[in-house]
Amino acid sequence: MSEAAFTGDHVTRFTPITFGLAFVRAMRERDGISHVPSMRTSLAVPQFLTARYFRIGTLSAKDYVEAAVLLTVPEDQGAAFEVARELLFPKDAVPKHAAAAPATGPALDGEVLTAPDPLDAGPSVLDTLAGMNLDLDNLDLSALDSLMDAQIAEATEMRALDLITELATSDDPAQQDLAQLATTFGGVAELEADNIRDEPQMRRFVLERLLGGLGELAPETIASAARAGFAPAIVDGAAPWERAGILAATDDQPALTALLDQILATNTARDLGRALAFVRVASPATAPRFQSRALASARHLADWAEIVDGLGGFVEPPDELVERSARDNVRQALFAAGTLDTAFRAADDAEQDPERVEVRHRVFDVWADALTEPAPLEVLVDVAVPTPRWAKLTEEATTTFTTELATAVTARPVDDRMAPLGEALRVARLLRETGSSVGKRGGAEITTVALELVASRTRFLPLLDAIIDVGLVPHDTARVLAAGTVLGISEDEIYARLSEPLEQLRFLIESNSQDLQRHLDLVDKITHIPTELLSELIACCVRDTNRMGLALLLAIALGPVLARGLPQTLVDDSLGYRGIGGGENLLLQWFTYRDALPSEFKSRVRALAKAALLDAALVWMHKGVGGAERGLLPQSRTRPYRPGDDLDHLDIDGTLEALASSGKTVDQMSHDDLLVQDTSSGRAGFGVLIDISGSMSGKDLAVCAIAVVMLMGRLQPEELALAVFESNTHVVKTFASSRELDDVATDLLDLRATGGTCVDAALKFVRDEFASQAEQERRVLFLLSDFCFFEDESVLRPVLDSLSALGVHFVGVGHGHVDREVAALFGDRLGGQVTKVPSLARLPELLLQALAWIAAGAQ
């Protein structure tokens, strides 16, 4: 193979044979392709190149690229182009003539490259062929050769590639933008599919895509379209923010000023912010001119945040706006303030004044100043801000809460005390989940008081068990012991629940025990280690180089342990050691402690958490009905053969039947007569909305992330539209988009339970998604929430009615304190029901049940 190069072949890195093998191997290793290339492709590539060589007497790099692309199915031609180009022009390759001067980058045609180190060993086509145990002496490839020859004879020059290359390297900026737009809308594969061969045809192609995407185009696309000369054709149908980008790119300042004036007068701050973002991309120097007038239009801190996001840089909000926003709606104001405090922090750290007061602290102070009476503890938990003032108010409110709790509970019969005590423990848990020392201490105090007020021997120990299960710990063991003793419960039984796991932990680490099972048993039994004990145990682990003990401490309190400045090598060796604290536990630790992790460990923990997320989701992917290969409602069908199809998929019966009906004989058969078996995706649409507002715990966020990845892996891309929401809606994917699971998992690690609960925009998103899919036979909306939305029913009814008109069925899951009236509204308008669950741990299971319901055709 190494000596099979043609005299006129300018590619020295490969021969046609070695390139065919390397190309197929690289494509097999690439993620996200729809058809894995087979042995046939590795044979077809050198045949194609050989045919071209004997036709034109020479071969260039462009011929190799065309062979790779044309012999790949249309869905994967973009990937084939990238793989072939990387093989021919690797990043570390150096032109032979570049010894004396830096290389400027190889051209596609005519450049001769030296061969870098041999490719890494990997699964090759020859290995695969050897493993098939084929009887090559008796294998009849004549029919295969005939089909290949016919395909090669019909292959044409890849003029679309030449066209894009010509325009992209043009001196005319308009042509460069046109090439960029063509690439954005599918590139070479789409142009070849539409038989586009010249610039006028490309312009018609791009204009069709622009007109079809108006309202959803990116700022960069709008700017390129305007500079490429499409402004007159698209400006009238564009959304206001897109028109702003068009006018900025064409430097029509009078029209741009008039449009922004109109947006200021009639549109929302969100639209204004979007318009400024489009202007900033199209003409960076123009946006700041409108800054003062735009900011002056803000009526609430949320408006300010939208506008500042469009401007692309932080601007301190005025005191008057902060005060008005805090008085009007403190929760919404705090969310907007949090956005302002964090959105630009990474970019502006070097310029920020370290003495600057965070906007959310200013909002809280204004709200606190306006209080005419002490704020209830439930409200303070909802507006938690880590400041001394919040801490003081929370301490006072906790004292008041426990006093009133004691008064209210003691006035009730013993058999009627569990409801108020359960509500008190809910508040205690919310306090603990603020993450502040005051909140944790307050939650522990309420827990102690609740146990003192039970006054029932039969309920005391079950309540203590439930308290420990949710991670609460009484702050005063002596008072708990006294309360239990009064009821006739022995101290040993109480100590067994309060101290046994911690005592076992101490024994295992202090004795340097390497009993793996005992370590594993403690991972889920301990949720909190007192600070003093943790320091002692960490010192023991470091002294003894006890990786197993340190793995257990990391599995229980990842953030506090890593904050102790331990040797990095010991930590790296201990994380997930022998399975202790790995998997979903590590994912839980990430969501709980990610903001407190030292920088030297954060990337390592993040990578492990991502792997844990994918592994946990993979377990669920193999359960239930449907699947990523066949969809929810699979339909088997046959279609004409395409270059690159595996011959194993040939539909022999269908091919012979079609051949007979056409009147042809077997001798007259060509590759156009071949049929292959294919499975199209189902005709169901599954719209999923997940509420991540409020105070979801790290465990809740971990479950939501697992559920999202599970759905992405279970369903065909066109079957799933998914978003998470709080005050804002964050789209994970649309029906029309396809995302790699790896990328989705990366994004989900940043999932945060912040903001309020605004469902209107999320419902409109899923409504528009269903409306865009005319071929769906079944449409189901799955909504996970507490249904305590900011919008009132008059806002929700119209969008629910529009979903109903599209034939959307409804499956709701409620968690936490569910607003039953709003939940009933969804059920009434969409004809479904809401199921309340005590824990989000069941979310993946419930989603699989919903998928089964869709597949079974339930109405």
Side-chain angles (χ1 to χ4, degrees):
M1 289 191 296
S2 61
E3 298 177 356
F6 293 115
T7 303
D9 190 346
H10 296 288
V11 175
T12 60
R13 177 172 167 76
F14 294 104
T15 66
I17 296 175
T18 60
F19 176 75
L21 295 172
F23 170 72
V24 170
R25 178 175 59 196
M27 285 291 286
R28 286 183 170 188
E29 294 173 349
R30 187 180 177 96
D31 295 330
I33 60 173
S34 60
H35 291 74
V36 177
S38 65
M39 175 186 67
R40 184 194 182 288
T41 305
S42 65
L43 297 174
V45 169
Q47 282 194 304
F48 180 103
L49 291 171
T50 300
R52 175 157 298 183
Y53 173 76
F54 283 112
R55 181 162 59 86
I56 63 177
T58 184
L59 289 177
S60 68
K62 187 166 78 69
D63 297 312
Y64 279 74
V65 173
E66 289 184 8
V69 174
L70 286 174
L71 295 172
T72 301
V73 296
E75 295 92 328
D76 297 331
Q77 285 183 346
F81 175 78
E82 295 175 2
V83 167
R85 183 177 58 185
E86 178 61 26
L87 288 173
L88 294 166
F89 306 114
K91 295 179 181 178
D92 57 351
V94 179
K96 285 183 177 179
H97 62 265
T104 58
L108 189 59
D109 252 326
E111 188 77 340
V112 180
L113 301 180
T114 59
D117 295 335
L119 293 174
D120 294 336
S124 70
V125 175
L126 293 180
D127 293 335
T128 303
L129 188 60
M132 294 173 66
N133 297 319
L134 297 176
D135 184 0
L136 296 180
D137 292 333
N138 297 320
L139 184 63
D140 183 7
L141 295 179
S142 59
L144 181 63
D145 289 338
S146 299
L147 291 175
M148 289 180 181
D149 292 340
Q151 180 66 30
I152 293 168
E154 294 177 3
T156 61
E157 297 285 342
M158 186 172 284
R159 298 175 191 170
L161 176 62
D162 295 337
L163 180 59
I164 286 184
T165 303
E166 178 185 348
L167 295 177
T169 57
S170 169
D171 293 331
D172 185 354
Q175 290 188 331
Q176 295 174 18
D177 280 301
L178 179 60
Q180 179 59 47
L181 289 168
T183 303
T184 299
F185 292 126
V188 173
E190 285 294 320
L191 296 182
E192 282 293 328
D194 286 2
N195 198 33
I196 293 171
R197 297 290 181 262
D198 55 35
E199 183 177 345
Q201 290 178 327
M202 181 186 285
R203 285 191 162 275
R204 287 193 293 272
F205 165 83
V206 169
L207 180 58
E208 289 176 0
R209 301 307 189 274
L210 288 170
L211 292 173
L214 286 176
E216 301 293 338
L217 296 176
E220 295 77 10
T221 302
I222 284 291
S224 294
R227 292 192 295 261
F230 293 103
I234 66 175
V235 68
D236 291 337
W241 48 88
E242 292 172 331
R243 288 204 301 275
I246 293 169
L247 296 174
T250 55
D251 199 27
D252 190 346
Q253 294 297 323
L256 176 60
T257 301
L259 175 61
L260 291 178
D261 286 341
Q262 179 184 354
I263 295 175
L264 278 166
T266 61
N267 292 70
T268 64
R270 184 181 183 86
D271 291 341
L272 179 59
R274 294 176 72 179
L276 291 173
F278 274 73
V279 171
R280 175 163 50 87
V281 170
S283 178
T286 301
R289 291 180 39 228
F290 300 94
Q291 175 171 317
S292 59
R293 293 180 56 229
L295 292 174
S297 69
R299 296 293 176 263
H300 191 279
L301 205 56
D303 298 340
W304 189 277
E306 293 281 3
I307 296 170
V308 165
D309 181 59
L311 291 170
F314 178 78
V315 182
E316 194 78 43
D319 291 339
E320 188 275 333
L321 181 65
V322 171
E323 293 170 3
R324 184 170 66 244
S325 301
R327 290 193 301 267
D328 179 47
N329 187 328
V330 66
R331 293 174 179 83
Q332 186 180 12
L334 282 172
F335 173 73
T339 301
L340 287 168
D341 287 332
T342 59
F344 306 101
R345 183 171 294 166
D348 298 342
D349 269 348
E351 302 175 5
Q352 283 184 358
D353 179 0
E355 301 298 324
R356 182 178 71 82
V357 179
E358 291 192 358
V359 181
R360 57 182 179 151
H361 294 179
R362 293 169 58 193
V363 170
F364 181 81
D365 286 341
V366 169
W367 174 78
D369 288 339
L371 292 174
T372 57
E373 57 184 22
L377 185 58
E378 297 92 327
V379 175
L380 287 168
V381 168
D382 205 23
V383 296
V385 177
T387 65
R389 188 169 189 183
W390 178 84
K392 181 180 179 182
L393 290 174
T394 301
E395 286 179 344
E396 295 171 351
T398 301
T399 302
T400 301
F401 183 88
T402 54
T403 301
E404 293 177 349
L405 175 66
T407 301
V409 171
T410 53
R412 289 172 171 252
V414 172
D415 292 339
D416 192 29
R417 293 185 176 186
M418 294 309 296
L421 290 178
E423 179 63 20
L425 292 174
R426 183 187 70 82
V427 175
R429 185 178 179 184
L430 293 177
L431 267 174
R432 180 179 63 83
E433 289 173 353
T434 63
S436 65
S437 58
V438 171
K440 292 176 181 177
R441 185 168 61 252
E445 290 177 6
I446 294 173
T447 301
T448 301
V449 172
L451 287 167
E452 289 179 317
L453 294 172
V454 174
S456 170
R457 177 185 174 85
T458 59
R459 291 188 173 92
F460 185 89
L461 290 178
L463 180 61
L464 180 57
D465 288 334
I467 286 171
I468 293 173
D469 285 345
V470 298
L472 292 171
V473 179
H475 81 299
D476 192 330
T477 303
R479 288 169 59 180
V480 175
L481 289 171
T485 302
V486 169
L487 298 174
I489 301 171
S490 70
E491 291 186 358
D492 289 343
E493 288 188 274
I494 300 174
Y495 269 125
R497 287 160 170 80
L498 291 177
S499 304
E500 183 180 9
L502 286 177
E503 290 304 319
Q504 289 183 25
L505 175 66
R506 182 195 295 272
F507 170 78
L508 289 175
I509 292 179
E510 289 183 349
S511 64
N512 196 13
S513 170
Q514 299 298 299
D515 188 329
L516 176 61
Q517 190 57 51
R518 292 182 68 183
H519 282 72
L520 292 171
D521 290 342
L522 287 178
V523 170
D524 296 325
K525 292 182 179 180
I526 303 174
T527 58
H528 173 72
I529 304 175
T531 303
E532 184 176 344
L533 176 60
L534 182 63
S535 299
E536 295 174 6
L537 298 180
I538 289 175
C540 290
C541 290
V542 174
R543 179 196 65 203
D544 300 331
T545 316
N546 184 355
R547 291 175 294 174
M548 187 174 288
L550 187 57
L552 180 54
L553 296 179
L554 289 166
I556 298 169
L558 181 71
V561 173
L562 292 182
R564 302 303 177 96
L566 300 178
Q568 186 164 351
T569 302
L570 179 60
V571 172
D572 287 343
D573 291 342
S574 302
L575 273 169
Y577 179 73
R578 299 191 67 181
I580 301 173
E584 292 186 37
N585 174 271
L586 183 61
L587 189 60
L588 164 62
Q589 295 293 317
W590 165 261
F591 279 114
T592 302
Y593 295 111
R594 57 188 163 181
D595 293 330
L597 296 179
S599 58
E600 62 268 26
F601 296 115
K602 193 163 188 175
S603 60
R604 159 89 166 149
V605 176
R606 184 186 181 95
L608 291 173
K610 178 178 173 180
L613 171 57
L614 291 170
D615 289 343
L618 184 63
V619 174
W620 288 99
M621 288 180 198
H622 297 292
K623 299 180 180 180
V625 299
E629 295 182 356
R630 304 196 66 206
L632 277 173
L633 302 175
Q635 311 169 71
S636 295
R637 64 183 176 92
T638 58
R639 59 167 174 78
Y641 163 84
R642 292 191 296 233
D645 282 337
D646 195 323
L647 294 181
D648 291 340
H649 294 162
L650 281 177
D651 182 2
I652 303 299
D653 293 338
T655 298
L656 293 176
E657 184 178 346
L659 190 67
S661 63
S662 67
K664 292 183 179 180
T665 65
V666 175
D667 294 338
Q668 296 172 320
M669 184 175 66
S670 69
H671 74 281
D672 291 328
D673 298 307
L674 295 177
L675 297 176
V676 296
Q677 293 178 342
D678 193 11
T679 302
S680 66
S681 63
R683 295 156 293 164
F686 196 39
V688 179
L689 300 178
I690 298 177
D691 177 358
I692 59 168
S693 63
S695 55
M696 292 180 73
S697 67
K699 183 176 182 180
D700 294 338
L701 291 174
V703 171
C704 288
I706 291 170
V708 169
V709 176
M710 180 268 289
L711 283 176
M712 296 283 290
R714 290 284 298 129
L715 300 178
Q716 290 275 8
E718 60 268 29
E719 291 181 322
L720 177 66
L722 190 149
V724 296
F725 68 96
E726 19 83 15
S727 290
N728 290 326
T729 298
H730 308 280
V731 175
V732 177
K733 76 169 298 293
T734 64
F735 286 125
S737 66
S738 178
R739 297 190 63 191
E740 297 292 335
L741 289 183
D742 192 80
D743 296 336
V744 174
T746 299
D747 292 345
L748 289 173
L749 291 180
D750 295 323
L751 198 64
R752 293 183 182 273
T754 58
T757 314
C758 298
V759 74
D760 183 50
L763 289 173
K764 290 178 178 176
F765 154 73
V766 80
R767 176 200 64 192
D768 293 343
E769 284 298 303
F770 281 128
S772 68
Q773 302 296 310
E775 296 183 357
Q776 290 176 347
E777 293 186 359
R778 296 179 196 145
R779 299 185 173 105
V780 176
L781 166 62
F782 181 98
L783 173 60
L784 169 76
S785 178
D786 59 6
F787 292 85
C788 298
F789 303 128
F790 282 6
E791 301 92 345
D792 59 36
E793 293 187 6
S794 63
V795 175
L796 298 177
R797 285 194 191 96
V799 68
L800 292 178
D801 289 343
S802 61
L803 283 167
S804 178
L806 290 169
V808 175
H809 298 282
F810 172 63
V811 177
V813 174
H815 68 95
H817 179 69
V818 176
D819 187 321
R820 296 182 181 275
E821 292 185 3
V822 176
L825 173 68
F826 275 71
D828 293 341
R829 293 283 169 169
L830 297 178
Q833 62 182 9
V834 176
T835 302
K836 190 176 186 302
V837 293
S839 169
L840 281 185
R842 291 193 59 209
L843 178 58
E845 175 190 349
L846 293 170
L847 284 166
L848 287 180
Q849 290 176 5
L851 295 181
W853 180 76
I854 298 172
Q859 299 296 325

